Amino acid sequence: MLRNSLLAAALLALSAAPLAAATLRSEVAVTGAVVTIGDFYPEAGRHAATPLFRAPDLGTRGAVSAHVIAERAQAAGFAEAGTDGLRQVMVERLALTIGEAEVETAVRDALLLRETGLDADALDVSLSGLRDPILADAGQGNPVSVETLDWDRTSGRVSATLRVRAANRTQSVKVTGLAQEMIEVYTAVRPIERGAVVAEADLAPMRMPRNRLTLRQVADLGDIVGLAARRSIQAGRPLRAIDFEQPVLVKRGTKVTLVYQTAGMTLTTIGQALSNGAKGDVIDILNLQSRRTVTGIVRAHDQIAVGTARTRIAQLQETN
């Protein structure tokens, strides 16, 4: 009898004890059109999907009374709802801002999907026609779609119609512009004087439309590093292969070393260059010992490999 009385008293005490209040978030961010009990209370369980309020407009936020939130949640069946000591909760409706960059990305992706052989890294898209940014529902997986697309690959002109899914409507946007295949060429980062030998540090890449590229532009860094400028070159302009040549290793009037090499023997003497010469050039040299003119090939700075073995020996050893 006593045992039954104690059990009944314990059950009565448990039923009279207040339920533990659920945690109320101080800030809530939603993507949909309504705010649910689960948005406010993480422990809402089976009540999580129950709507309580209409969400703010896209991209805006507002304060909601914590007391009103708790009352509505309790009325909807979530008895543990409380204020958790808060006076208000900030509610924000997330939005995606669709601007020029997003529109250009959508058109660019559509071109890459449609056109075979396009290099994604080489395609530049520049469009106009979107007057103001559009706020799209952040809950949409793909708020921008390309409906129509016309592209002239040669000229780069492009026009497209896009549809942007906003909160409760779909907005049509027409854009035009350029979608060009670009290629990397090189330019001088500083002026280069005539005759100066080009180093890699003197050059920088720049992009230009592929349809404007000719064989004259330098697209490979290795084609000109180590060459000399034929003329003064301005900075910032696309470089042309014809603006460069092998550097002059021998200058007219300077003294040079004449070299003849054969098996086990090297003969040298001093000469005077009668013309300028780059590596591999054939030039005339005055042998200063024999006072005769010989022909040789420029091999290095102020160094000439002279003609045939018989001629070289005779000319190198000949004296006045």
Side-chain angles (χ1 to χ4, degrees):
M1 184 72 174
L2 179 59
R3 181 181 297 177
N4 292 338
S5 297
L6 291 174
L7 181 59
L11 291 173
L12 181 62
L14 286 174
S15 62
L19 295 173
T23 303
L24 177 62
R25 293 187 174 101
S26 61
E27 293 191 3
V28 173
V30 298
T31 59
V34 296
V35 190
T36 66
I37 292 178
D39 292 325
F40 289 111
Y41 298 97
E43 303 98 335
R46 61 187 180 88
H47 299 286
T50 303
L52 289 186
F53 299 95
R54 175 182 168 276
D57 293 336
L58 283 173
T60 65
R61 56 185 295 165
V64 182
S65 167
H67 180 70
V68 173
I69 294 171
E71 280 188 344
R72 291 196 180 185
Q74 290 173 8
F78 185 49
E80 297 91 337
T83 63
D84 202 19
L86 299 176
R87 297 182 60 185
Q88 63 181 22
V89 174
M90 294 301 299
V91 179
E92 179 183 9
R93 185 172 181 186
L94 301 177
L96 297 174
T97 301
I98 307 301
E100 288 184 357
E102 289 71 25
V103 168
E104 289 172 355
T105 297
V107 171
R108 182 174 179 274
D109 290 345
L111 279 174
L112 291 171
L113 184 63
R114 192 186 76 177
E115 303 288 336
T116 58
L118 272 180
D119 181 358
D121 293 332
L123 185 62
D124 276 3
V125 178
S126 178
L127 302 171
S128 61
L130 181 65
R131 294 182 179 179
D132 299 300
I134 301 172
L135 291 180
D137 195 335
Q140 295 281 351
N142 185 19
V144 183
S145 61
V146 178
E147 298 295 315
T148 65
L149 180 61
D150 295 311
W151 183 48
D152 184 330
R153 192 165 187 165
T154 302
S155 67
R157 293 188 182 91
V158 64
S159 62
T161 302
L162 300 92
R163 294 195 179 277
V164 181
R165 288 181 286 279
N168 300 312
R169 61 191 177 90
T170 300
Q171 185 169 340
S172 179
V173 178
K174 293 184 178 181
V175 293
T176 59
L178 292 174
Q180 297 176 303
E181 296 175 271
M182 308 297 285
I183 192 165
E184 192 173 84
V185 297
Y186 285 88
T187 182
V189 297
R190 61 185 66 87
I192 299 176
E193 296 181 357
R194 178 182 177 182
V197 176
V198 178
E200 188 171 341
D202 297 325
L203 309 174
M206 67 177 294
R207 286 162 67 90
M208 66 180 293
R210 184 185 294 274
N211 59 12
R212 290 175 49 195
L213 180 70
T214 68
L215 296 177
R216 296 181 302 173
Q217 274 86 36
V218 176
D220 187 344
L221 193 67
D223 288 345
I224 59 172
V225 170
L227 298 185
R230 289 180 183 270
R231 56 185 63 85
S232 296
I233 296 174
Q234 298 180 5
R237 291 187 176 182
L239 298 176
R240 303 177 304 168
I242 61 174
D243 292 332
F244 300 91
E245 62 185 357
Q246 289 291 335
V248 173
L249 298 180
V250 172
K251 292 185 178 181
R252 179 181 179 181
T254 60
K255 289 184 178 181
V256 296
T257 300
L258 304 180
V259 180
Y260 166 68
Q261 289 182 326
T262 188
M265 181 176 61
T266 299
L267 301 176
T268 64
T269 189
I270 302 300
Q272 185 177 35
L274 300 180
S275 62
N276 293 339
K279 186 174 183 179
D281 286 351
V282 177
I283 64 172
D284 290 335
I285 313 99
L286 176 64
N287 186 323
L288 295 180
Q289 289 186 1
S290 67
R291 308 306 298 178
R292 293 180 60 183
T293 299
V294 297
T295 300
I297 300 174
V298 178
R299 295 302 187 196
H301 182 69
D302 290 340
Q303 189 177 100
I304 310 294
V306 295
T308 64
R310 183 183 61 78
T311 304
R312 285 177 180 165
I313 295 173
Q315 291 172 341
L316 288 171
Q317 294 178 342
E318 184 180 8
T319 58
N320 289 334

